Structures are given as structure tokens and as C-alpha cells.
Amino acid sequence: MTYTHDIVIVGGGGAGLRAAIAVVEANPQLSVAIISKVYPMRSHTVSAEGGAAAVIRAEDSLDEHAYDTISGGDWLCDQDAVEAFVDEAPKEMLRLENWGCPWSREPDGRVAVRPFGGMKRIRTWFAADKTGFHLLHTLFQTSLKYEEIARYDEWFVTKLLVEDGRVRGVVAIELSSGRIETITAKAVILCTGGCGRVFPFTTNANIKTGDGMALAYRAGAPLKDMEFVQYHPTGLPFTGILITEAARAEGGWLLNKDGYRYLQDYDLGTPQPGPVLRSMELGPRDRLSQAFVKEMEKGRTIDTPYGQVVHLDLRHLGAKLINTKLPMVRELCLDYEKIDPVKDLVPVRPVVHYMMGGVSTDIHGATPLDGLYAAGEVACVSINGANRLGSNSLPELLVFGARAGRAAAEFAAAQPDDGGDWSGILTQAEDERRRLERDLRGREGGGERVSTIRTEMQAAMEQGAGIYRSADSMAKCADALQELRERLPGVSIDDHTTTFNTELIAALELGLMLDVAESIVHSARLREESRGAHQRTDFPERDDVRYLAHSLIHRSADGSPRVEYPPVTITRWPPGVRVYGR
Amino acid sequence: MARSITMQVARYRPDREAEPTMQSYDVPLRKDWAILDGLNHIKDELDGTLSYRWSCRMGICGSCGMTVNGEPKLTCATFLTDYAPGPVRVEPLRNFPVVRDLVVDIGDFMAKLSVVQPWIIRKDEETPDGEYLQTPAELEDYKQFSMCINCMLCYSACPIYGLNEHFLGPAAIALAQRYNLDSRDQGSADRMDALSASTGVWDCTYVGECSTACPKNVDPAGAIQRYKLTAATETLKSFLMPRGGR
Ligand SMILES: Cc1cc2nc3c(=O)[nH]c(=O)nc-3n(C[C@H](O)[C@H](O)[C@H](O)COP(=O)(O)OP(=O)(O)OC[C@H]3O[C@@H](n4cnc5c(N)ncnc54)[C@H](O)[C@@H]3O)c2cc1C
Ligand code: SF4
Ligand code: FES
């Protein structure tokens, strides 16, 4: 059977929900649907803790937010995109407020803001330390008001349907029944989130397997700046659960094994008792994660069964502040580490957290492929450049989710209703169905497990494409990935049933993740410089002559990758030195 | 401490089996392993055919609710060592139709969500230029009820929902109250029909099992009790002032 909508949004996280509402508001005549592999309120936006940045105070300015973002991104951000972003972020955040988001407040009733890493002004809105949770539930609940928004909850998209250079729909599996359907559309918006799961140690949920990136890549849309993977400096060992940057923004210290605030040794400023903006613990994430590795090399970190750690010290903040501003940090430490940050040091280490790269879009969320749009973490506009600032991602998904929704609505409304000849699309869909039914669900067992290949891929990525990289480490990683790709067709799927077959889904996700992993490593090998989160021991300097440019990776007809380097858009802030703590 | 623990896991594949069975697996007993880590070990190493839902593994997405040794729990925030030496029994959440293994059908709750109109309702047409002011005290009024992660543990624990699936249930009512009590909202009258209907708050006999089961201290039972008071007063008012003098 075939379903038809004007616009199909893949993903029901913050970006997808915002896009859906924008479509209805732009043109209520359009039929719009959200397809999501989990119920929308389970999407990973739910786990964002610290906050969302938008200029609201008189002493702040859009230019300062833009400058912090651009210097934080090591000048790889497109400055026209950043200008649009900082301008629209406050409006979007106010809409969220009007829709009922329970932002933390000042005594006089205004929305409260807190400091955040790499930001020179206090501009991060927060809902205690469950910002993403409240933002997602507010958006989801508000979306229920719009009866126009159809939903396919717990449906997994396996393929984008493309003909004559235009996206015409998707193929998806309904998890509960296993039925495979074609869903056609005049425009598709990808809002599928990030890909942290290609690494072994990550803050990202199980669902963050980079599906949308791989789907777009396979369909012929290029990916941008895939080598830029953000490590967050403070994850709990073993689980990878995030301890939000807000913990440092409220005054937390990072200590090495001697109890020393080691960041002072890495050109990040001199320690003060209270938090200082753009300094020390409030430096940008790339620099803090890199300092950890250096500290480890000096033998000044702490050895634990789950690897080397440093300590996050919140004890001096006191129970009252921790309970009101960081309740989730305390809850997570108590539940998962059996320690209480009010009186204990919290062990932390850098953890894969966010993907700066993604499906390449313009500032309206449009990809180069007609009818295909992308927004949120899956997309790369790029406002994040080589290193995203904490609390810029939530406003990004609002601003560009809304933009993509409006742009897709305009595009869809301009397309004729019958859309011409569908036979080619339906043949493609039939091929995909056959692949899913015969090659995967019908596959005989006896081979390797999905988890074996997945674990090896993750290990290869950590060893070869982690915080510090070199030509040598990445070559090994690329070879390992190639070998895994050859083993992939032999992977066994023991579950041949149709109802909620999660083994089949895991196998599909693994295939998609391998594409993403390869694009990360391939782009990283070709960028012979160090910039932001991409640090090469063999090319330690930034090289603006060769690489003040985006890596745009395309898939050639034979499946091999091809990379181009379009220039970064510079409007008002010429490349400079990143200065923190001075 | 023993090195392993036996997990007895409910299996049910409707395409294969007429009814659920229990299957035992031995998994490593590690200090920091949650029940969910045990299930992931089974799926990755022992038996790829086991199905269950999970995502965030940090107690916030609400996916991983199951019945552990008879009680509704978030399996990513419940630890194996608390059940040592075992065996520990893992079954799907009660009071819901089982789709497969540990996966239940929550479609009923998803439909009920819209019934309580969980969004800000304003009687003024214009959206404001800036924010609606809201003091910390006003935020405190509804904050607890805004913490619900829709994990369904309360429905699983609720004896009334077990008997009458039409009952709106704890989380939906708590969510209605979350908006009713929000100083920015003017929609409590619109929500009244659903809440005061025969399937609304009056179904609840205040057993309080929902609040005991809730992993996020939402206190849905408290929300229900509080609404009963409001509803009683409103009913009284409508007798006294039939033409809606407010
Ligand atoms: C622990 C943590 C804390 C964070 N804290 C902050 C913070 O404080 N501030 C900040 O600004 N940012 C923060 N971030 C980053 C930010 O939360 C994310 O970048 C952002 O929420 C991503 O939203 P999204 O809508 O793009 O994707 P998600 O919320 O991840 O949603 C993806 C959606 O796509 C769907 N999907 C994916 N693949 C498929 C498929 N194949 N078929 C069907 N559906 C599919 C999923 O079901 C889901 O609905 C944090 C991130 C993490 C991990
Ligand atoms: S009220 Fe508590 S138990 Fe019920 S769904 Fe919400 S969080 Fe879960
Ligand atoms: S996996 Fe998200 S709440 Fe347990």
C-alpha cells in the first residue's frame, strides 16, 4: 500500500516537531506527516540538560552571540547562517515560552539566563537542568493541538526515493506489524538527529545512529564537514552519561589527580574562585577535551576500571544551589555512580557528544537535492563550524527546523498534484521491499552477530578518529572499516518474525552507521590541518590558505567518496586567533 | 559477590507462540549494570531475537519501563545487584496489551494525551510581544506535574486502569493539571469535560499506587486529589451561578 502526503518529516525530535508546526502555520492546506522510529517524546532531544542560547538581556548583543559562535567554531561557520541564527533564536525561544515551556525564572518573572562555555555574555535559557526534556515535551504537546499533523510513530525509514534528481518519498517499516510501505511526498525533511553511536563511548542514545546522514548520502545529497565530531569534556565513566556544562557554568572545577585546576596550564586563563566567562572551565569543549588528553599523557589523571578520569568538583557550590540549578546532575550521580556531588568528587572523562557535520543545507534548510530538506543535528548549515558551542544546538533546531518547514511548504505548494509518472519510484520502492524481506528478514543465521561488527566499528573509530588523529591512525581505521563492510553481508539475523523485530532494525542501523563512519574518516584524512574538534598530530596548525573551506563529501556512482572544498562564507568577522581566558 | 545472575525473561512472539513463556539467561553480575545492561548483554551476546524498547539509558526518555520481580520499573535505572543473588524476573508492563516479548502497546495512552488538551490555551487572540511573566512561585505551582516522562509505570501500577481501560489514568490527569495550574493558561474550563467525565478523576479511588511507582516524583495521585477538589467547587459554583458569573 502507498500513503501520500505533501510533506514528510523524518524524525520527531525538536527539529522535526518544530518543522511540522512551521509547515501547518505556513500553509494549513498541506498534508504533513512525521515519521519517527520512536514515539516523538522519546527522541534524544529529551536528554539535553544545560540550556539554550538566545540574546535577551540589554547588556548582550546579537553581534556578540555571533562572534562567540564563530570564534568557537574556529572560523568554519558560515557567517550569513550565524547571523540569521542569532537573530531568530530569541524569537523562537519566546515562542517556546508562549507555548508553555517551563523556563526557570528571575524573581520578577522574567526568563532567567545562565553562563555557558565559550559564551562571553550570560545568555543561556534553562529549565533547571532538564532543558531538552521540557523543550521536547512542550513542542510535542503543542503539536497535538494541530490535527493537521499526521504521525507514523515507531516507523523506521529505510530509503529515500529519488527520481530525476528529485526526492519523491520514502520507504518505511512499521515496527509493530513489520509491514513495509511506500510513503510518497512532494518534499521530505530529514530531522533524524546525530550519529554518536558510531563511537563506543558516547552521551548519545541508542537511536542516534546517523540514519538520515546515510540515507541522504545514498540518495545523492552531499554531507558537509563530517570530520568534526565533538567530545564533551565531562561524561560519567562506563555509561557515558553527560554531566552538563551548566555544572561548570554554576562554578564547578575540573581537578587532576593532585587536586589541581589543570586547565590553567593550557592557555585557558588563571583560576578564580567563581566562574569567569570564556575562561578556564568555561572554555570551549574542544580545548577542554584536548587538555584532558595532554593531562593524561603527563600521567596526571586518575586510573579507574573504566579508563582514565579527572574530577569535577561541585562540593563548594552547596546543596541548595545544586538542588535548584542542577537537580538532574545530582540525580544522575546518585543513581549511576552512587556518589553525591554535594560531598563527593565526580569522576568524568571526555565523551563523544555531538556531530558538527551533517547533510549539507543552505540557510533555508534546503539540500542540493530537489525536494530534500534537513534540520537539527542531522544537518550542517553550518552555524557550528569546527566546534559547536554548548547551548547553541537547541536554538539551532528551532530556528532551522522552522526555516526548513517554511521552505519545504513553499516548495511543495508549487508542485503539481499528480506529480507525473510514478512508475520509476514504485519500482524502486518494490526493490527496497524485496531487499528488506528477502535479504534481511529472510536471511539465514550462522554468521556473525550484528553486535560483533558494531563493536569493532566503534573501537576502530575511537582508536583512529578520536580526539587526536594522524594519517597513520586514520589509515588503519579506514582499513578496519573496509574489512567490516566486506563482512556486513554475512551478518546473521536470527529473528525472522515480523512483529517488532529489533534485530532487523539493528542490522539496518549498522549498515547506515558504517556509511557515516566512512564519511567521517575519509573527510578527516583529507583535511591536513588542525581546526576546532579536528586535531591532527601530524598537522598541528590551522591552515587558512588551504582549508578555510567546508569538506563536501559526495557518493560517486560506483560508491566511492569524492570530496570538494567550497569556501566558508565570511561576512563581518575575518579569521582570527581564538583567545580564551585572556 | 557472585559473578553472574539469572534473568528470567518473558518471551512472546505472536507470529510463533499462542502465549508468553519465560526464558532464562545467565548474565554477568556487575556492580554498575542496570537491568537494561543485562538485557543488552542477552541481545548482543546470547540471543538476538529478544525485543524490548530502550533509548537514552539515563532515565529520561521513558522507553524502558518493564515489570521487574513484579514491580513496574525503569530498567535503565534499576540495578542488577539489587536483585542478587537472583533470579530476577523481567516481564512486560502490566495493564497493557503485549506486542512482543517486553514491548507493550501504549496507543491507548497516546490517544488520551490529546483528550486532555495538553497545551497552553489562551482566550486572547493576539500572541504577546515578549514573554508571559511567571514568578518562581508560580512556576513551582505546576512544576512537579511537568516532570512526567510518559513512562507508563503508573498505568501499570494502577488497579483502576487494570479494570477499566477507559479511565484517563494518572499521567494524563497529571498533565492536564500541569496546564491547569500554569499561570499562563486559561483553558481549565475546556479541560473540565474530559476530567470530570465518568472516565475522569472520579474513577480514581485514591489507591496511590501510581505515585509510589512513579520514578520522577510527579505524584499523579496528588494531582488527581487536587483536581477532585477543584471539580467539586466548580460544580457547586455552577449550581450557585448557573449563568457563569465569574
Ligand atoms: C546528553 C545530551 C545533552 C545535550 N545538552 C544540550 C544542551 O544543553 N544544549 C544544547 O543546545 N544542546 C544539547 N545537546 C544537543 C542537542 O540535544 C541535540 O543536538 C538535539 O536535541 C538534536 O535534536 P534533533 O531534533 O536534531 O534530533 P533528535 O532529538 O535526536 O531526534 C531524532 C529523531 O529522528 C528519528 N529518526 C532517526 N532515524 C530515523 C529513521 N531511520 N526512521 C524514522 N525516524 C528516525 C528519531 O526517532 C527521532 O524522533 C545535548 C545532547 C546530548 C546527547
Ligand atoms: S506520572 Fe510518573 S510513572 Fe506516570 S508516566 Fe509520568 S513519570 Fe511515569
Ligand atoms: S532508556 Fe530512556 S528511560 Fe530508560
Side-chain angles (χ1 to χ4, degrees), chain A residues 32-214:
Chain A
V32 55
I34 296 178
I35 308 178
S36 177
K37 66 179 173 180
V38 295
Y39 282 103
M41 72 282 184
R42 316 271 189 235
S43 304
H44 202 53
T45 297
V46 80
S47 67
E49 301 172 20
V55 172
I56 180 148
R57 287 293 141 87
E59 63 274 17
D60 197 359
S61 72
L62 297 181
D63 276 9
E64 282 179 292
H65 189 188
Y67 180 79
D68 284 344
T69 302
I70 291 162
S71 56
D74 219 349
W75 274 272
L76 198 69
C77 317
D78 281 326
Q79 297 182 4
D80 54 344
V82 174
E83 290 195 61
F85 163 67
V86 298
D87 179 47
E88 287 167 30
K91 296 169 197 145
E92 283 294 330
M93 301 284 285
L94 282 171
R95 287 215 76 185
L96 245 302
E97 193 285 324
N98 295 167
W99 283 334
C101 189
W103 297 114
S104 294
R105 302 283 178 155
E106 300 290 354
D108 65 1
R110 288 180 310 149
V111 167
V113 282
R114 67 164 32 136
F116 233 69
M119 301 273 188
K120 199 163 54 189
R121 298 280 178 202
I122 299 182
R123 62 170 74 97
T124 297
W125 305 37
F126 59 104
D129 54 0
K130 293 194 175 174
T131 308
F133 163 78
H134 286 300
L135 186 143
L136 184 68
H137 280 254
T138 302
L139 276 173
F140 177 58
Q141 288 157 12
T142 302
S143 81
L144 297 174
K145 180 166 77 173
Y146 299 92
E147 282 162 9
E148 298 90 336
I149 302 174
R151 287 210 326 269
Y152 295 77
D153 291 341
E154 300 198 316
W155 285 63
F156 186 97
V157 173
T158 67
K159 188 181 170 66
L160 294 175
L161 297 169
V162 184
E163 199 176 49
D164 297 334
R166 217 184 100 196
V167 171
R168 309 283 296 272
V170 303
V171 175
I173 308 178
E174 182 183 45
L175 265 69
S176 64
S177 66
R179 67 197 167 107
I180 299 162
E181 304 292 357
T182 306
I183 305 174
T184 63
K186 293 172 183 163
V188 173
I189 312 178
L190 292 172
C191 298
T192 52
C195 59
R197 286 271 155 180
V198 303
F199 287 86
F201 186 61
T202 176
T203 60
N204 285 195
N206 184 42
I207 58 172
K208 299 200 72 172
T209 45
D211 303 1
M213 297 173 189

Side-chain angles (χ1 to χ4, degrees), chain B residues 36 54-64 74-77 149:
Chain B
L36 178 63
W54 70 289
S55 183
C56 73
R57 57 91 181 83
M58 56 188 276
I60 191 81
C61 76
S63 305
C64 67
L74 283 184
T75 49
C76 73
I149 63 172

